[in-house]
Amino acid sequence: MAVSSIFIASELYWGFRIPLHNSGLIIPLNRVRHFEHATISLNFFTYAAFAIILDKIGSKAHYALTLFLEAIAFGQELLLIHFHSADHKGVESQYHLLLQIILLVSLITTLMTIGHPQNFLLSFVRSTSITFNGVWLIVTGFMLWTPALIPKGCFINLEEEHQVVRCLGDEDLLRAKSVNHQFSWFFIAITVFSVSFYLVLDKIYDEKLDYSTLS
């Protein structure tokens, strides 16, 4: 919740740092992305807040409702990423496209877990996809806005107060968008880490598990 609050505040700061258009508070196109990012974080803030409240109240349906709110957050993120105001033909679009695959897995497994709360595999895949979601967002940030990591033949260009990766030619653009192998490497790494982490914890704790509430 704290991280979401900080992120929302930072995005709204960049969105409002120049007064909005005097006519009907119209949001300029170059600042729409900031409100999109803030909305995504707001969804997860709402989910986290209600997760704590439901856990504290101890409602019989608190687990199902928590998963439902989580599914809404993933669904909203998937929707906003799919219709993101960023360039849909550049390098960033390829990273967003691959992110949507991860989000779709998170959304589907979360919805399925509502009906099958005791299914270990669903929970495991959901947790792994959430981890992959965070890792891929970090990778996207480094690969797109770190000059030393930008593909050869491409550069960071400031367009309408937003940094965008542009390439010199079509061949450079195609090479820069070929991040599928990178996605696959991270997918394998996350899979190996998740399974190994589970095996280690299973060996340490075995059946000696003790659960407690979030509050």
Side-chain angles (χ1 to χ4, degrees), residues 3-86:
V3 175
S4 295
S5 300
I6 294 172
F7 187 77
I8 291 172
S10 65
E11 288 295 336
L12 290 180
Y13 166 76
W14 287 106
F16 284 110
R17 67 190 183 94
I18 300 176
L20 297 181
H21 197 282
N22 293 328
S23 178
L25 294 178
I26 298 174
I27 301 174
L29 183 60
N30 63 336
R31 275 178 277 164
V32 170
R33 69 186 76 247
H34 296 298
F35 290 92
E36 291 173 338
H37 297 162
T39 302
I40 291 174
S41 291
L42 180 60
N43 284 314
F44 283 100
F45 178 89
T46 303
Y47 153 70
F50 273 103
I52 295 176
I53 294 172
L54 289 170
D55 187 68
K56 188 173 183 179
I57 293 175
S59 171
K60 292 182 179 179
H62 80 279
Y63 185 64
L65 287 174
T66 301
L67 289 173
F68 173 69
L69 291 169
E70 184 179 358
I72 290 178
F74 285 131
Q76 287 274 24
E77 184 180 4
L78 178 61
L79 180 69
L80 290 171
I81 290 295
H82 182 73
F83 294 105
H84 200 275
S85 58

Side-chain angles (χ1 to χ4, degrees), residues 63-68 70-71 74 105-127 129-130:
Y63 185 64
L65 287 174
T66 301
L67 289 173
F68 173 69
E70 184 179 358
F74 285 131
V105 173
S106 298
L107 175 60
I108 292 174
T109 51
T110 301
L111 290 173
M112 291 179 67
T113 305
I114 295 176
H116 305 278
Q118 302 300 323
N119 191 302
F120 166 77
L121 187 58
L122 281 176
S123 298
F124 184 80
V125 174
R126 178 169 60 93
S127 299
S129 67
I130 293 172

